[in-house]
Amino acid sequence: MKNRTQQQQKQIGNYIKNKKQKRFYYSFLTFVLIVCIIQMSISAFLNISKFISNQAKIKTMKTYKAKVITENKKLKCEFKDFNSLKSMEAIARNNLKMAGKDEVLVIINQNENKLDNNQNIKKKQNKSLLKPRNKTN
């Protein structure tokens, strides 16, 4: 009988020891699972925020692309017009302050004191007028 009781006590001791080992094992697995879930949640949040910021960047780039395309078309039209002699003459007259054979160039400098609400800066304006010269032959 003593043998049986000792065997039963050993079996009960082994059972309790196995039960504690299983609890520790399951607790460890639960901890690992919680860490994995936290890591996956953080990475999902970062991916979603990256996705949102990338979508915003794509939207701004599309609007910028449309703006650049329209500007490019405008510049192509201006370039076609630039090849004509009339456009070259207009550029020379307006930008380089040139006059034709029968014209007199009059430049009027006006100093206007305009106060800017934010910076109080004096601005200077230059105006040029082309007047035809009277022919006296």
Side-chain angles (χ1 to χ4, degrees), residues 93-94 97 105-108 126-130:
R93 288 173 182 257
N94 294 330
K97 310 288 190 243
L105 179 64
V106 177
I107 298 175
I108 301 171
N126 291 327
K127 292 185 179 181
S128 66
L129 301 171
L130 294 176

Side-chain angles (χ1 to χ4, degrees), residues 5-18:
T5 56
Q6 286 178 354
Q7 285 178 351
Q8 285 177 351
Q9 286 177 356
K10 281 184 182 180
Q11 286 177 352
I12 291 172
N14 286 339
Y15 176 76
I16 292 173
K17 189 176 181 182
N18 287 339

Side-chain angles (χ1 to χ4, degrees), residues 42-72:
I42 291 171
S43 65
F45 174 75
L46 291 175
N47 285 337
I48 289 171
S49 63
K50 248 187 212 179
F51 176 77
I52 291 170
S53 68
N54 286 341
Q55 289 298 323
K57 287 178 185 176
I58 287 172
K59 186 177 179 181
T60 56
M61 293 304 263
K62 282 182 179 180
T63 56
Y64 182 71
K65 179 183 175 185
K67 180 182 173 184
V68 168
I69 287 174
T70 56
E71 187 177 344
N72 189 18

